[in-house]
Amino acid sequence: MKNHLEHAAVRRVMVGTDRSETAEQAVQWAASFAERYGAELFVVQVVVPHNPASTVSRQLPWPISRQL
């Protein structure tokens, strides 16, 4: 009987980080998980603006926001 990992459908793994100690552990776990399944690993770093009140924001038009 074949190992269930050989039939895995995991192709991509994404993990977010803010570079904290906890996030580093999550990145390490995600890297091991991706390696185990032969998947691509995507690491997304969260950056908080120094002055969020001055950050320009707008609402996306309905068709685009509904697709996200």
Side-chain angles (χ1 to χ4, degrees), residues 18-26:
D18 59 3
R19 302 195 59 141
S20 67
E21 190 174 318
T22 305
E24 179 62 28
Q25 292 174 357

Side-chain angles (χ1 to χ4, degrees), residues 9-31:
V10 177
R11 294 193 178 125
R12 295 179 192 97
V13 176
M14 181 181 289
V15 62
T17 181
D18 59 3
R19 302 195 59 141
S20 67
E21 190 174 318
T22 305
E24 179 62 28
Q25 292 174 357
V27 170
Q28 292 297 322
W29 183 89

Side-chain angles (χ1 to χ4, degrees), residues 8-56:
V10 177
R11 294 193 178 125
R12 295 179 192 97
V13 176
M14 181 181 289
V15 62
T17 181
D18 59 3
R19 302 195 59 141
S20 67
E21 190 174 318
T22 305
E24 179 62 28
Q25 292 174 357
V27 170
Q28 292 297 322
W29 183 89
S32 295
F33 185 83
E35 184 175 18
R36 181 177 185 184
Y37 286 91
E40 292 180 274
L41 176 64
F42 295 89
V43 179
V44 179
Q45 183 175 347
V46 177
V47 179
V48 179
H50 289 287
N51 192 359
S54 67
T55 303
V56 177

Side-chain angles (χ1 to χ4, degrees), residues 61-68:
W62 178 83
I64 296 173
S65 62
R66 294 292 296 174
Q67 294 173 2
L68 298 176

